[in-house]
Amino acid sequence: MSRESERLFADATRVIPGGVNSPVRSWRAVGGHPAFIARGEGPWIHDADGRRYLDFVASWGPLVLGHAPAVVVEAVTRQVGLGTSFGAPTALEVELATLLVEALPSVEQVRLVSSGTEATMSAMRLARAATGRKRVLKFVGCYHGHVDALLVRAGSGALTLGVPDSPGVPAEIADLTVLADYNDVDGTRAAIRAHAADLAAVIVEPVAGNMGVVPPAPGFLEMLREETARIDSLLVFDEVITGFRLGWSGAQGRFGIRPDLTCLGKIVGGGMPLAAFGGRRDLMSMIAPAGPVYQAGTLSGNPVSVAAGLAVLRTLRADDGAYDRLERLGGLAEHVLREALASAGVPGTVNRVGSMFTLFFGVESVRSYADAVRADTDRFARWFRNMLEEGMYLPPSQFEALFVSLAHEESHLAELGRAAARALARL
Ligand code: PMP
């Protein structure tokens, strides 16, 4: 890593734990110190040393239009001039909520919050209140933010850093979390039935993104829908990554499943801090002040964030070809990475759903968490560093998703393929 990023990282570690404001930004899993980013445009980011990279992190998913798209810059600039926060309702929030309700048939009412963690935390509280039950079931390797009860065998940074259970989460709270294996249809059905009397909710990433991308097995999501309905428990889709990425109606539209509650984040905020949870009207009307379940936020529905989110969602809605294009670009990325693996004779595989994908090293197929953790993380680390030298900015972990955006062009994916081949040849 070059001089300015090194200097900034040294300064950062003095005043910020680990030098980063979120652990996934650390390069501990791949070695070296993170590049500090100065700016982005379209599919590119530039670091503090003036190096330019093709970006496949996309701020971990939000940037479906790429960096600094004109529609977002204009909307945010305009709103900043009008005031950044009022702590009172605005017309923009009504428009965003209406748009979310229109896009997602399972969502009849929605509450805006500021982060994905807040969305899942609030959804769990609501599920417990609505059912009068305590336990929630989550899947090993799925990440739903750093909510106490959900930070149990979690994915993403918790997986990368090998601290699946965090100190500070009381055992009594972790005890309320039931674990099951993603895509294990029979085992999960048995776990749901075993806890039928006290299970408030099953929360799932409908396409797992935080153990690397793992698509749902045929029948898996359908089984979750059936079994939760059978015991009057709630099915909560965490669509923080997949919402507005895998289609206008998210993963639930793509797979034809109607969850009771949905958590959104990332794309809905257009790159600003904004997230949401919503679902059935009878459930959402329990939220304060309509009902007794307390949930609040000084900056919830922040007008600048809402303006950014609306700009992105309006753009996606107006572009009939957006999701076909994301699918095509994702398919191309998968193709060039597979070709690169084959030509270098490096064992591995590529999992992809739409515009999210992961190249796993040293494994033939990845259908579960157990498969994912068999991946060769040392080889990934070397590839990551080689790719950086090739001008490709990837997530600094084997267990994350890469994203393409509408700012990527076919030529950029051809570049990805050539860079990948060279980086693999040098492993
Ligand atoms: N759910 C999923 C599926 C996520 O990927 C993330 C973050 N990567 C979260 C929830 C938490 O969102 P946030 O980081 O905004 O709290």
Side-chain angles (χ1 to χ4, degrees):
M1 190 44 46
S2 9
R3 281 198 351 249
E4 189 60 7
S5 282
E6 284 293 346
R7 193 186 64 74
L8 286 167
F9 189 66
D11 287 351
T13 47
R14 276 193 280 280
V15 287
I16 300 171
V20 290
N21 278 312
S22 190
V24 294
R25 297 176 199 171
S26 160
W27 285 10
R28 281 181 191 209
V30 290
H33 299 152
F36 278 63
I37 305 304
R39 67 190 172 90
E41 92 253 344
W44 305 100
I45 51 171
H46 301 251
D47 72 13
D49 293 284
R51 286 199 61 183
R52 188 176 82 153
Y53 308 87
L54 253 185
D55 179 22
F56 295 96
V57 178
S59 185
W60 305 86
L63 304 182
V64 72
L65 303 182
H67 292 272
V71 285
V72 171
V73 173
E74 278 159 28
V76 165
T77 307
R78 190 180 127 73
Q79 185 55 47
V80 167
L82 295 172
T84 55
S85 185
F86 308 114
T90 61
L92 287 175
E93 292 162 76
V94 189
E95 188 182 343
L96 181 57
T98 304
L99 199 149
L100 298 178
V101 165
E102 280 168 12
L104 297 157
S106 74
V107 174
E108 294 172 318
Q109 283 203 321
V110 63
R111 167 72 44 100
L112 303 182
V113 296
S114 299
S115 72
T117 296
E118 249 189 296
T120 58
M121 178 187 78
S122 306
M124 291 303 99
R125 179 176 304 146
L126 175 56
R128 285 169 163 154
T131 58
R133 300 174 185 172
K134 284 187 195 162
R135 288 186 200 280
V136 297
L137 185 147
K138 81 172 281 285
F139 293 94
V140 175
C142 280
Y143 179 70
H144 305 291
H146 62 101
V147 182
D148 279 352
L150 300 176
L151 200 57
V152 181
R153 307 287 316 268
S156 190
L159 174 56
T160 306
L161 302 176
V163 281
D165 301 307
S166 174
V169 177
E172 290 85 347
I173 290 184
D175 276 352
L176 298 178
T177 305
V178 177
L179 294 168
D181 287 318
Y182 194 81
N183 280 342
D184 174 6
V185 175
D186 293 339
T188 305
R189 184 189 288 114
I192 293 174
R193 291 186 177 184
H195 293 279
D198 53 3
L199 201 60
V202 171
I203 184 167
V204 66
E205 291 178 70
V207 171
N210 285 293
M211 48 178 125
V213 172
V214 180
F220 177 63
L221 298 175
E222 289 79 0
M223 175 278 295
L224 295 182
R225 181 60 288 179
E226 265 169 43
E227 292 294 324
T228 47
R230 215 174 62 85
I231 63 162
D232 292 322
S233 179
L234 303 184
L235 179 61
V236 182
F237 268 15
D238 180 347
E239 296 228 38
V240 166
I241 291 178
T242 55
F244 295 96
R245 175 162 290 282
L246 296 185
W248 181 245
S249 304
Q252 53 195 271
R254 197 170 174 120
F255 297 107
I257 307 281
R258 196 182 173 96
D260 300 299
L261 293 174
T262 297
C263 301
L264 297 164
K266 303 206 189 245
I267 290 176
V268 293
M272 294 286 292
L274 189 145
F277 69 102
R280 278 165 37 197
R281 183 181 305 277
D282 61 311
L283 298 171
M284 291 305 291
S285 60
M286 294 182 70
I287 297 284
V293 180
Y294 200 70
Q295 195 287 324
T298 301
L299 292 175
S300 289
N302 174 264
V304 184
S305 298
V306 171
L310 264 178
V312 170
L313 298 190
R314 284 190 199 126
T315 303
L316 290 172
R317 182 173 57 186
D319 180 356
D320 282 344
Y323 288 103
D324 285 345
R325 192 169 145 67
L326 282 171
E327 191 70 43
R328 205 171 60 245
L329 292 168
L332 201 53
E334 176 182 352
H335 174 75
V336 299
L337 291 177
R338 283 188 183 279
E339 293 267 289
L341 280 174
S343 70
V346 172
T349 189
V350 181
N351 274 6
R352 177 184 71 90
V353 180
S355 56
M356 54 192 282
F357 52 98
T358 298
L359 189 164
F360 290 97
F361 282 92
V363 280
E364 262 174 35
S365 82
V366 177
R367 302 210 171 89
S368 66
Y369 174 78
D371 292 341
V373 294
R374 272 197 289 273
D376 184 342
T377 52
D378 290 339
R379 199 167 258 203
F380 174 85
R382 292 201 300 278
W383 186 63
F384 170 87
R385 294 195 297 269
N386 291 353
M387 286 296 270
L388 203 69
E389 284 170 15
E390 296 286 345
M392 300 288 141
Y393 187 77
L394 311 181
S397 161
Q398 169 70 96
F399 306 111
E400 298 286 356
L402 281 72
F403 299 103
V404 282
S405 75
L406 291 166
H408 286 102
E409 291 172 14
E410 291 178 6
S411 61
H412 298 132
L413 297 170
E415 258 184 77
L416 173 71
R418 288 192 296 272
R422 286 191 299 265
L424 288 169
R426 292 199 285 122
L427 279 181

mmCIF file of all heavy atoms in Angstrom, residues 94 158 193 238 245 271 291 310 355:
data_model
loop_
_atom_site.group_PDB
_atom_site.id
_atom_site.type_symbol
_atom_site.label_atom_id
_atom_site.label_comp_id
_atom_site.label_asym_id
_atom_site.label_seq_id
_atom_site.Cartn_x
_atom_site.Cartn_y
_atom_site.Cartn_z
ATOM 1 N N VAL A 94 -43.080 10.233 2.509
ATOM 2 C CA VAL A 94 -44.331 9.605 2.070
ATOM 3 C C VAL A 94 -44.124 9.006 0.687
ATOM 4 O O VAL A 94 -44.580 7.896 0.394
ATOM 5 C CB VAL A 94 -45.486 10.635 2.033
ATOM 6 C CG1 VAL A 94 -46.813 9.936 1.782
ATOM 7 C CG2 VAL A 94 -45.526 11.439 3.313
ATOM 8 N N ALA A 158 -17.910 -10.879 11.082
ATOM 9 C CA ALA A 158 -17.851 -11.816 12.205
ATOM 10 C C ALA A 158 -17.286 -13.153 11.757
ATOM 11 O O ALA A 158 -16.583 -13.829 12.504
ATOM 12 C CB ALA A 158 -19.236 -12.000 12.818
ATOM 13 N N ARG A 193 -40.031 -27.038 14.056
ATOM 14 C CA ARG A 193 -41.073 -27.811 14.752
ATOM 15 C C ARG A 193 -40.713 -28.014 16.225
ATOM 16 O O ARG A 193 -41.577 -27.943 17.096
ATOM 17 C CB ARG A 193 -41.287 -29.144 14.050
ATOM 18 C CG ARG A 193 -41.932 -28.933 12.691
ATOM 19 C CD ARG A 193 -42.312 -30.217 11.994
ATOM 20 N NE ARG A 193 -42.989 -29.890 10.741
ATOM 21 C CZ ARG A 193 -43.515 -30.773 9.915
ATOM 22 N NH1 ARG A 193 -43.448 -32.061 10.203
ATOM 23 N NH2 ARG A 193 -44.107 -30.375 8.806
ATOM 24 N N ASP A 238 -34.549 -10.827 5.309
ATOM 25 C CA ASP A 238 -33.570 -9.749 5.389
ATOM 26 C C ASP A 238 -33.100 -9.468 3.962
ATOM 27 O O ASP A 238 -32.239 -10.165 3.432
ATOM 28 C CB ASP A 238 -32.410 -10.172 6.296
ATOM 29 C CG ASP A 238 -31.367 -9.073 6.407
ATOM 30 O OD1 ASP A 238 -31.417 -8.105 5.612
ATOM 31 O OD2 ASP A 238 -30.483 -9.187 7.284
ATOM 32 N N ARG A 245 -31.951 -5.111 -5.678
ATOM 33 C CA ARG A 245 -30.789 -5.595 -6.425
ATOM 34 C C ARG A 245 -31.170 -6.785 -7.299
ATOM 35 O O ARG A 245 -30.772 -6.852 -8.460
ATOM 36 C CB ARG A 245 -29.635 -5.975 -5.491
ATOM 37 C CG ARG A 245 -28.444 -6.598 -6.258
ATOM 38 C CD ARG A 245 -27.155 -6.602 -5.495
ATOM 39 N NE ARG A 245 -26.589 -5.274 -5.316
ATOM 40 C CZ ARG A 245 -25.925 -4.597 -6.262
ATOM 41 N NH1 ARG A 245 -25.728 -5.112 -7.460
ATOM 42 N NH2 ARG A 245 -25.450 -3.384 -5.999
ATOM 43 N N GLY A 271 -26.932 5.092 -1.083
ATOM 44 C CA GLY A 271 -25.565 5.396 -0.652
ATOM 45 C C GLY A 271 -25.521 6.303 0.571
ATOM 46 O O GLY A 271 -24.442 6.698 1.018
ATOM 47 N N GLY A 291 -49.281 1.781 17.642
ATOM 48 C CA GLY A 291 -49.470 0.706 18.612
ATOM 49 C C GLY A 291 -48.418 0.779 19.703
ATOM 50 O O GLY A 291 -47.689 1.770 19.811
ATOM 51 N N LEU A 310 -34.666 7.974 -3.016
ATOM 52 C CA LEU A 310 -35.720 8.201 -4.017
ATOM 53 C C LEU A 310 -35.125 8.397 -5.412
ATOM 54 O O LEU A 310 -35.666 7.879 -6.401
ATOM 55 C CB LEU A 310 -36.517 9.455 -3.655
ATOM 56 C CG LEU A 310 -37.811 9.260 -2.872
ATOM 57 C CD1 LEU A 310 -38.420 10.619 -2.568
ATOM 58 C CD2 LEU A 310 -38.790 8.363 -3.613
ATOM 59 N N SER A 355 -26.799 -9.763 -9.942
ATOM 60 C CA SER A 355 -25.587 -8.942 -9.970
ATOM 61 C C SER A 355 -24.740 -9.095 -8.716
ATOM 62 O O SER A 355 -23.903 -8.250 -8.424
ATOM 63 C CB SER A 355 -25.982 -7.476 -10.167
ATOM 64 O OG SER A 355 -26.894 -7.082 -9.153
#
